[in-house]
Amino acid sequence: TAVARAVEGLRYTEGAVRMCRKLRKLGFKLAVISSGPQAIADAAKYTLGLDYAYGQALEVDAKGCFAGAVCEPQVDATRKADLLCMLAMNEQISPEQMVAVGDGPVSAEMLAGAGLAITFKQPEREVKSAGGRISNANFVNLLYILGLSERDMSSIDV
């Protein structure tokens, strides 16, 4: 299927694997909340060692092929914000203790609900109330935003 081919060809943003490994070692819980297919979110969970993965459930026919519809509930802007709150409850922390990274308008509500909101590869004019912005394509920069130096990162064994 097209989704299976997408999962096989999945390439991660530079620094994503390193960032996730370092954050896991520091005790962070990690999630992907995507408006893309659940299968891709699951693949990211497995590859990156995430704790949670949420994505769109796609309607499939008897042959396992995409039938052309997205199942409810759709992972839209409101659902992303709701999932962020649910994760906070699951982890018994407040949303203010959460860091959210978003790359588009569908992430705006989720970013507004997190204690630290980071936009990723968005034009500066579209960044409204984020606490940080990663303008280049390397997720390791999130570690710097969180206050880690290169020496700090070198001392974290993974």
Side-chain angles (χ1 to χ4, degrees):
T1 67
V3 173
R5 285 191 303 276
V7 168
E8 288 174 13
L10 202 54
R11 301 287 178 262
Y12 295 93
T13 299
E14 184 180 345
V17 173
R18 182 178 182 211
M19 176 198 67
C20 289
R21 286 182 181 154
K22 299 289 184 185
L23 291 175
R24 295 273 306 149
K25 190 73 173 180
L26 291 169
F28 281 71
K29 296 288 184 162
L30 305 173
V32 59
I33 302 174
S34 175
S35 52
Q38 181 67 49
I40 292 176
D42 289 339
K45 178 182 177 186
Y46 174 78
T47 301
L48 300 173
L50 308 178
D51 300 287
Y52 302 95
Y54 298 97
Q56 300 282 16
L58 305 177
E59 186 178 301
V60 294
D61 63 20
K63 296 178 184 178
C65 295
F66 179 52
V70 175
C71 300
E72 295 294 332
Q74 291 188 27
V75 183
D76 58 10
T78 301
R79 179 80 174 140
K80 282 187 168 195
D82 291 345
L83 288 166
L84 183 82
C85 289
M86 184 196 73
L87 289 171
M89 287 189 300
N90 283 352
E91 294 299 324
Q92 299 179 349
I93 61 173
S94 73
E96 291 78 27
Q97 293 175 278
M98 299 186 82
V99 177
V101 179
D103 65 352
V106 76
S107 299
E109 286 183 48
M110 176 185 71
L111 292 171
L116 177 60
I118 309 292
T119 60
F120 183 72
K121 291 177 65 178
Q122 286 190 355
E124 194 165 345
R125 68 183 179 281
E126 294 181 21
V127 177
K128 294 191 173 54
S129 62
R133 178 174 168 257
I134 299 173
S135 58
N136 70 5
N138 192 326
F139 262 127
V140 169
N141 290 316
L142 176 63
L143 299 171
Y144 300 128
I145 290 171
L146 293 174
L148 287 113
S149 67
E150 191 62 42
R151 186 175 355 163
D152 294 332
M153 287 189 272
S154 296
S155 69
I156 302 169
D157 296 326
V158 285

